[in-house]
Amino acid sequence: MRKTRTQETTTSWQRTQVMMYPRCLTVMRNNGSRWRRDLNTSQSRVYSVTGLDDYGYIKMINYIRNTKFSAESLLLTSNGPLPWDSDEYLKPALADDPLLQIDVEELSEVTAVTLSPAADDQVSLLLQRATQAEDRAQRAEEALARAMDDLHKLKLLAQGLVLNTDTSRGPSRSGAIAELREDEDEAYFSSYGHYSIHEEMLKDKVRTESYRDFMYRNMDIFKGKVVLDVGCGTGILSMFAAKAGARKVIAVDQSEIIYQAMDIVRSNKLEDTITLIKGRIEEIGLPVEKVDIIISEWMGYFLLFESMLDSVLYARDRYLAEDGLVYPDRCNISLAAVGDTQKHSDRIAFWDAVYDFKMTCMKKAVIPEPVVEMLKPETVISEPVVIRTIDCGSVTVSELEFTEDFSLKITASTFCTAIVGYFDIFFDKSCGNKVMFSTAPDCTKTHWKQTVFLLESPIPVKTGEELPGQITVHKNRKDPRALLITLDIAGRKQTYSLQ
């Protein structure tokens, strides 16, 4: 759980008190020793710390600091006004004087100290109690240090267990996303609580207008139907469905953006048709037993990043009527070879000599990170190949992890420096007016762009030849919303982490 600003401030103040208190007590003990020696000669006037107000106490301390307080000066004030009555003693004699940081009221609760004939005994008692408090503070500080050390050791142990987990073999557990606790998935949904990401998606005309055109051009599919929108965001797809003739639309989202969606729906007078529910689809209950249509914009980079399709499939299996429909209903993932020696040099060969220093070890850290960018169409040097087709009406979660062989037909004699991945989306089933869009390099830009997997060393290729390869895609066991993608190109294997 995150600490609030107030909790952080309080914790910081308490930590400061623990560190400051022993120093304050040390000053008190040293000054108290001198006072006690001098006060042995004084029996003429009683001074009680508890009899002073806050200003009087401050003046007294500064007076003592400035005048080198002694028993003789005390005797001189036995029948006259207090020597520190002047406002000039409100100015601290020492910067950050620890004695001025003592709470007079708390001090008075410990003991009412009077400089009487028995003052020596009373000061001794006060110093004894102060010493005991100092000892307790010291023990508490040591216990805190031990606890922090234990926590650090536990953290290292947990890191070791996680890092030693073998993620290279076999698929992750079935329904990994459905099994995540809310706190484990908090970061994912929090990211969609930021307005900028929704603005980017809404401004992606290829994405948004494809969904709109599919619904507006196929109103016969939606007329009088109950529609479920999984991951509704601002509610744009739900409103398209309502305008397309849906009888009822249920919009679900776990992120905070759903509160804005509620205002948006009311502003467009669609609250009688659209019901919004905050929560994970795997954990909430719907106000209906079954729905006729499920719509969702679930696609991530390389199609499967973020694993939101898992939630759509959960909703399909749990709520979709027997003859119900899921849109989009079909998706393709495609690969192609890339030949861009300049970009490869900028990102990989760059580390061979950085300001005359060798940093080649950085390649091992840079290469496993796929690059999400808009690729120049002229850098594609092969015909594309579809490595996976997904039928959203029948695919299972376990089938979203796979290994496929492929072969890329080279169209230019050059060096293959990378493999690019992208996807196509289809609204086909039962549609009189079919709609599709692609995120290929030679198509209109989308916010998904393309996913580029750089090769450690360029591979020489010739026009007309086939470049063989194999791809394995599976969820990262440590974070099932991330993907681990292993490419074997002409016998050169590299694993990439999309996260």
Side-chain angles (χ1 to χ4, degrees), residues 101-157:
Q101 299 176 30
I102 296 174
D103 190 320
V104 180
E105 293 183 0
E106 290 184 359
L107 192 63
S108 67
E109 290 174 2
V110 175
T111 182
V113 181
T114 57
L115 304 183
S116 65
D120 185 58
D121 293 337
Q122 294 181 24
V123 171
S124 296
L125 180 59
L126 175 60
L127 291 176
Q128 181 182 2
R129 293 183 178 180
T131 301
Q132 292 172 347
E134 180 182 5
D135 291 340
R136 288 195 297 272
Q138 182 65 30
R139 288 195 298 273
E141 191 171 2
E142 291 171 354
L144 177 61
R146 289 194 298 271
M148 293 297 291
D149 184 58
D150 290 342
L151 182 61
H152 178 66
K153 291 177 180 177
L154 183 61
K155 180 180 178 181
L156 292 177
L157 176 62

Side-chain angles (χ1 to χ4, degrees), residues 10-251:
T10 303
T11 302
S12 176
W13 167 238
Q14 291 172 337
R15 189 180 298 114
T16 301
Q17 285 183 308
V18 169
M19 292 186 294
M20 182 183 296
Y21 196 34
R23 293 198 294 271
C24 292
L25 293 176
T26 300
V27 173
M28 288 178 62
R29 186 191 300 115
N30 293 339
N31 282 316
S33 298
R34 179 165 57 85
W35 293 347
R36 188 170 62 252
R37 288 195 304 270
D38 293 342
L39 290 174
N40 283 335
T41 62
S42 176
Q43 299 182 4
S44 60
R45 182 168 182 172
V46 175
Y47 280 87
S48 173
V49 172
T50 57
L52 296 173
D53 60 15
D54 289 342
Y55 291 111
Y57 174 77
I58 292 171
K59 290 178 182 179
M60 181 186 74
I61 296 299
N62 290 327
Y63 171 77
I64 293 171
R65 295 289 194 196
N66 285 316
T67 61
K68 309 299 182 183
F69 175 76
S70 65
E72 287 75 12
S73 62
L74 178 63
L75 289 172
L76 292 174
T77 64
S78 59
N79 295 313
L82 294 174
W84 49 77
D85 271 349
S86 174
D87 287 347
E88 68 177 289
Y89 294 115
L90 286 173
K91 181 179 180 181
L94 294 178
D96 299 324
D97 191 333
L99 290 179
L100 295 184
Q101 299 176 30
I102 296 174
D103 190 320
V104 180
E105 293 183 0
E106 290 184 359
L107 192 63
S108 67
E109 290 174 2
V110 175
T111 182
V113 181
T114 57
L115 304 183
S116 65
D120 185 58
D121 293 337
Q122 294 181 24
V123 171
S124 296
L125 180 59
L126 175 60
L127 291 176
Q128 181 182 2
R129 293 183 178 180
T131 301
Q132 292 172 347
E134 180 182 5
D135 291 340
R136 288 195 297 272
Q138 182 65 30
R139 288 195 298 273
E141 191 171 2
E142 291 171 354
L144 177 61
R146 289 194 298 271
M148 293 297 291
D149 184 58
D150 290 342
L151 182 61
H152 178 66
K153 291 177 180 177
L154 183 61
K155 180 180 178 181
L156 292 177
L157 176 62
Q159 288 177 340
L161 291 173
V162 171
L163 293 176
N164 289 328
T165 299
D166 183 4
T167 61
S168 62
R169 295 177 299 175
S172 63
R173 66 189 189 276
S174 177
I177 297 300
E179 294 173 13
L180 284 175
R181 298 193 310 270
E182 182 176 335
D183 59 325
E184 292 176 317
D185 224 10
E186 180 181 0
Y188 168 70
F189 287 108
S190 293
S191 69
Y192 282 94
H194 299 288
Y195 305 139
S196 59
I197 193 170
H198 294 281
E199 180 180 352
E200 181 184 26
M201 290 189 292
L202 290 170
K203 287 181 176 178
D204 184 341
K205 289 189 175 183
V206 173
R207 162 203 182 264
T208 308
E209 292 182 2
S210 293
Y211 276 89
R212 181 200 63 187
D213 293 347
F214 147 64
M215 287 187 257
Y216 284 7
R217 294 175 185 176
N218 296 279
M219 289 188 175
D220 56 302
I221 294 177
F222 288 87
K223 186 176 181 180
K225 299 297 176 60
V226 177
V227 178
L228 172 62
D229 181 0
V230 180
C232 65
T234 56
I236 187 67
L237 302 189
S238 294
M239 292 188 289
F240 286 157
K243 290 291 187 181
R247 175 171 58 86
K248 185 178 186 62
V249 180
I250 303 167

Side-chain angles (χ1 to χ4, degrees), residues 188-440:
Y188 168 70
F189 287 108
S190 293
S191 69
Y192 282 94
H194 299 288
Y195 305 139
S196 59
I197 193 170
H198 294 281
E199 180 180 352
E200 181 184 26
M201 290 189 292
L202 290 170
K203 287 181 176 178
D204 184 341
K205 289 189 175 183
V206 173
R207 162 203 182 264
T208 308
E209 292 182 2
S210 293
Y211 276 89
R212 181 200 63 187
D213 293 347
F214 147 64
M215 287 187 257
Y216 284 7
R217 294 175 185 176
N218 296 279
M219 289 188 175
D220 56 302
I221 294 177
F222 288 87
K223 186 176 181 180
K225 299 297 176 60
V226 177
V227 178
L228 172 62
D229 181 0
V230 180
C232 65
T234 56
I236 187 67
L237 302 189
S238 294
M239 292 188 289
F240 286 157
K243 290 291 187 181
R247 175 171 58 86
K248 185 178 186 62
V249 180
I250 303 167
V252 178
D253 204 305
Q254 166 66 355
S255 73
E256 299 297 308
I257 195 66
I258 197 165
Y259 297 118
Q260 299 300 320
M262 292 175 182
D263 289 338
I264 292 170
V265 167
R266 283 193 292 268
S267 297
N268 289 277
K269 296 179 170 51
L270 292 171
E271 64 270 25
D272 292 337
T273 303
I274 301 174
T275 299
L276 295 110
I277 302 174
K278 185 179 188 302
R280 298 174 73 234
I281 189 66
E282 295 86 354
E283 297 175 351
I284 63 167
L286 298 186
V288 296
E289 289 187 9
K290 296 293 179 181
V291 299
D292 302 303
I293 299 172
I294 294 177
I295 56 173
S296 180
E297 194 278 82
W298 51 264
M299 297 80 76
Y301 299 134
F302 198 65
L303 186 66
L304 298 176
F305 176 62
E306 295 184 330
S307 298
M308 187 178 166
L309 179 54
D310 292 28
S311 295
V312 175
L313 300 186
Y314 175 90
R316 180 199 67 189
D317 297 341
R318 172 69 177 82
Y319 294 109
L320 190 63
E322 187 174 346
D323 57 348
L325 299 168
V326 180
Y327 292 106
D329 57 284
R330 183 165 59 89
C331 320
N332 288 340
I333 302 177
S334 298
L335 298 179
V338 178
D340 191 338
T341 54
Q342 182 58 53
K343 183 164 290 186
H344 188 277
S345 178
D346 290 343
R347 290 183 172 162
I348 304 300
F350 164 78
W351 298 104
D352 289 333
V354 182
Y355 296 99
D356 297 326
F357 294 100
K358 291 180 64 176
M359 296 189 181
T360 51
C361 61
M362 284 295 296
K363 291 183 181 181
K364 298 296 183 183
V366 172
I367 292 170
E369 293 185 2
V371 181
V372 177
E373 63 179 1
M374 282 301 301
L375 204 67
K376 295 178 180 178
E378 60 269 23
T379 64
V380 177
I381 60 168
S382 79
E383 295 179 2
V385 59
V386 176
I387 54 122
R388 196 70 167 178
T389 296
I390 296 173
D391 181 343
C392 296
S394 61
V395 71
T396 63
V397 170
S398 62
E399 291 173 336
L400 302 180
E401 299 181 277
F402 56 87
T403 296
E404 293 287 350
D405 294 323
F406 60 88
S407 183
L408 300 172
K409 187 173 183 179
I410 301 301
T411 58
S413 296
T414 181
F415 287 90
C416 177
T417 59
I419 301 296
V420 61
Y422 60 91
F423 59 87
D424 307 316
I425 298 297
F426 301 87
F427 301 88
D428 279 356
K429 191 172 183 180
S430 302
C431 294
N433 297 290
K434 302 181 187 301
V435 175
M436 69 84 58
F437 68 86
S438 176
T439 63

Side-chain angles (χ1 to χ4, degrees), residues 437-458:
F437 68 86
S438 176
T439 63
D442 59 349
C443 293
T444 304
K445 176 183 176 181
T446 71
H447 76 282
W448 289 287
K449 304 175 185 178
Q450 292 91 42
T451 304
V452 180
F453 306 95
L454 292 167
L455 304 180
E456 183 173 4
S457 301

